[in-house]
């Protein structure tokens, strides 16, 4: 439908006239075209709700689940999916509803940084904000450019196709940015880097949609009542780190370098130690530096990263990984010493280069050479 419309026509006005009758046509599409049509409808906001509600009656359970996920996405953007359904088809002369804002985020990198993108429709165009934030140093960069609606939709499709990028509610994105701006980044910094334009930041955070649930809260709401054992959660999350789905969050460089220096002194020093004595010295040394690396503030920060990452994993249809991330937040902040928490131990050993890689599989009947 979008491809056949004249450039000056709005697909939203056509959806207003067609209403729920489009839902039956959606169900006749093959899986690939059905998924693409859902994404197009999701970009149309409230006008797409009658069609989505009609498609929600699909006999196929997988399709019903995908439609409900799209309705949940619209609801998280403030769209009243219930009232749109009750109203049914809307007269074509009704004023077109304002296009919904969109927001996207990347997963958190090893140093605690991520990119946020906010797409705001303004006077027939779309204003795109690109924000680099750190949960340690605050707001680092804010950029803005104007794009025509068609260009903005192309950019949105590009974001959706990228690995490691996921959608978040626009209000939640603003709430995150406002929180990062309050991070203490040093004397007088106030959580905002010196090069950030304060007028642009104020513009970005202004408006009625300045507040909203952050991704971690949405993840907890979606997975409410689900449980996963601690050992299963640890294993599942470690797999995500090892496969690069999540970046290993590294402790402070100064702590890591000090631990590496002392480890080298124990192993290469002039003092001759038996093997058990050396292992005990290394354990004591690692435990002391791990306490420094994972102080209460850092542990709370890692717990927040787990919550925020859970929403990204959910958006990528990885419910097990999301549930594992949420299940470990309390243990990360608990009373156990850092090396007693497998996730913290893995992060610390990864920073030191000590994390043990999975053992390679042995081939049957392989030739075993002496000394190898």
């Amino acid at each position: 439908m979008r491809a056949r419309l004249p450039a000056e026509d709005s697909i939203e006005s056509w959806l207003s006239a067609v209403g729920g009758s489009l839902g039956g046509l959606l169900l006749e599409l093959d899986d690939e075209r059905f998924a693409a049509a859902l994404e197009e409808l999701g970009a149309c906001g409230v006008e797409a709700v009658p069609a989505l509600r009609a498609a929600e009656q699909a006999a196929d359970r997988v399709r019903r689940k995908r439609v409900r996920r799209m309705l949940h996405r619209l609801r998280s953007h403030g769209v009243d999916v219930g009232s749109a359904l009750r109203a049914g088809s809307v007269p074509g002369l009704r004023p077109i509803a304002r296009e919904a804002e969109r927001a996207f985020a990347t997963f958190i990198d090893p140093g605690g940084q991520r990119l946020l993108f906010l797409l705001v429709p303004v006077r027939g165009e779309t204003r795109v904000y690109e924000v680099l934030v750190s949960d340690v140093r605050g707001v680092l960069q804010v950029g803005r450019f104007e794009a025509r609606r068609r260009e903005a939709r192309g950019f949105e499709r590009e974001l959706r196709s990228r690995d490691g990028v996921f959608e978040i509610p626009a209000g939640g994105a603003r709430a995150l940015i406002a929180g990062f701006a309050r991070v203490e980044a040093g004397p007088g910094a106030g959580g905002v880097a010196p090069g950030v334009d304060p007028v642009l930041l104020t513009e970005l955070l202004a408006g009625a949609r300045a507040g909203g649930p952050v991704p971690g809260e949405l993840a907890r709401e979606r997975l409410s009542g689900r449980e996963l054992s601690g050992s299963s959660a640890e294993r599942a999350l470690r797999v995500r780190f090892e496969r690069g789905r999540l970046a290993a969050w590294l402790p402070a460089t100064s702590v890591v370098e000090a631990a590496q220096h002392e480890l080298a002194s124990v192993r290469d020093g002039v003092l001759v130690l038996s093997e058990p004595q050396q292992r005990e010295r290394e354990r004591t040394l690692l435990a002391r530096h791990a306490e420094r690396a994972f102080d209460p503030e850092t542990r709370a920060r890692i717990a927040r990263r787990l919550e925020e990452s859970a929403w990204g994993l959910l958006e990528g249809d990885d419910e097990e990984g999301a549930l594992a991330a949420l299940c470990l937040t309390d243990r990360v902040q608990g009373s156990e010493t850092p090396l007693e928490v497998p996730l913290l131990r893995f992060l610390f050993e990864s920073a030191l280069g000590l994390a043990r890689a999975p053992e390679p599989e042995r081939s049957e009947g392989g030739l075993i050479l002496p000394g190898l």
Side-chain angles (χ1 to χ4, degrees):
M1 183 184 291
R2 187 187 294 279
R4 294 179 180 179
L5 285 177
E8 64 273 10
D9 281 12
S10 167
I11 194 171
E12 287 83 359
S13 61
W14 284 87
L15 287 174
S16 297
V18 174
S21 61
L22 184 61
L25 298 176
L26 285 175
L27 299 180
E28 296 179 8
L29 299 174
D30 59 45
D31 288 343
E32 183 177 351
R33 295 172 66 193
F34 179 81
L38 280 186
E39 290 297 331
E40 288 282 350
L41 286 170
C44 294
V46 68
E47 306 296 345
V49 173
L52 290 171
R53 284 298 193 183
E56 193 182 11
Q57 308 307 313
D60 185 273
R61 183 178 64 85
V62 174
R63 290 198 170 193
R64 286 200 308 272
K65 182 177 178 181
R66 299 182 77 166
V67 173
R68 287 169 182 167
R69 186 178 294 121
M70 181 59 69
L71 286 167
H72 176 81
R73 180 188 295 178
L74 290 174
R75 186 184 296 113
S76 69
H77 287 296
V79 175
D80 186 351
V81 297
S83 62
L85 173 62
R86 291 190 296 271
S89 297
V90 185
L93 295 179
R94 188 177 72 86
I96 299 301
R98 183 179 185 272
E99 188 174 340
E101 297 179 348
R102 292 284 188 269
F104 297 86
T106 63
F107 280 101
I108 304 165
D109 76 5
Q113 296 184 12
R114 78 193 87 171
L115 279 170
L116 299 172
F117 301 92
L118 190 64
L119 284 65
V120 182
V122 179
R123 297 184 301 277
E125 295 185 331
T126 299
R127 185 169 293 163
V128 180
Y129 297 91
E130 183 176 355
V131 189
L132 177 63
V133 296
S134 163
D135 58 9
V136 179
R137 299 164 55 203
V139 179
L140 305 180
Q141 297 176 17
V142 179
R144 183 192 70 191
F145 64 90
E146 307 288 337
R148 290 180 295 181
R149 292 291 175 85
R150 182 168 296 180
E151 294 172 339
R153 289 192 180 104
F155 180 60
E156 181 177 336
R157 285 194 292 271
E158 181 186 349
L159 288 175
R160 293 185 188 279
S161 68
R162 291 183 188 175
D163 289 335
V165 178
F166 53 91
E167 187 170 3
I168 63 176
R174 283 193 171 95
L176 281 176
I177 295 168
F180 296 138
R182 292 191 293 269
V183 172
E184 283 300 329
V192 180
V196 173
D197 184 345
V199 175
L200 188 57
L201 181 60
T202 300
E203 172 191 303
L204 171 62
L205 296 178
R209 295 180 178 82
V214 295
E217 295 170 343
L218 291 174
R220 287 199 176 277
E221 178 184 345
R222 173 109 49 106
L223 295 175
S224 176
R226 300 276 304 278
E227 293 184 359
L228 194 66
S229 70
S231 58
S232 297
E234 294 279 3
R235 285 194 300 270
L237 206 59
R238 175 157 179 168
V239 167
R240 272 71 180 172
F241 280 112
E242 290 176 341
R243 292 178 178 174
R245 191 77 177 92
L246 298 174
W249 302 313
L250 303 180
T253 303
S254 58
V255 178
V256 173
E257 290 178 346
Q260 289 172 329
H261 177 73
E262 289 194 37
L263 276 174
S265 298
V266 170
R267 293 168 180 172
D268 305 328
V270 295
L271 184 62
V272 178
L273 299 173
S274 66
E275 187 173 336
Q277 288 176 320
Q278 181 168 315
R279 284 201 301 267
E280 182 59 31
R281 288 280 298 272
E282 290 177 355
R283 277 196 295 267
T284 302
L285 184 155
L286 288 175
R288 175 162 51 84
H289 285 286
E291 288 285 356
R292 290 181 56 205
F294 299 110
D295 58 19
E297 181 182 348
T298 301
R299 293 175 72 154
R301 186 181 301 122
I302 291 175
R304 289 194 298 271
R305 291 176 184 179
L306 288 172
E307 286 189 332
E308 301 300 332
S309 299
W311 178 254
L313 293 169
L314 269 181
E315 285 288 284
D317 292 325
D318 183 3
E319 291 191 3
E320 181 191 41
L323 187 60
L326 293 180
C327 287
L328 292 179
T329 55
D330 290 339
R331 187 172 186 185
V332 165
Q333 298 182 92
S335 58
E336 294 176 283
T337 62
L339 296 186
E340 291 175 327
V341 181
L343 174 60
L344 296 181
R345 186 183 188 97
F346 169 73
L347 294 177
F348 193 52
E349 290 180 343
S350 295
L352 294 172
L354 300 177
R356 292 181 294 276
E359 293 185 4
E361 297 182 1
R362 295 184 179 180
S363 59
E364 294 294 333
L367 178 64
I368 301 176
L369 300 178
L372 296 181

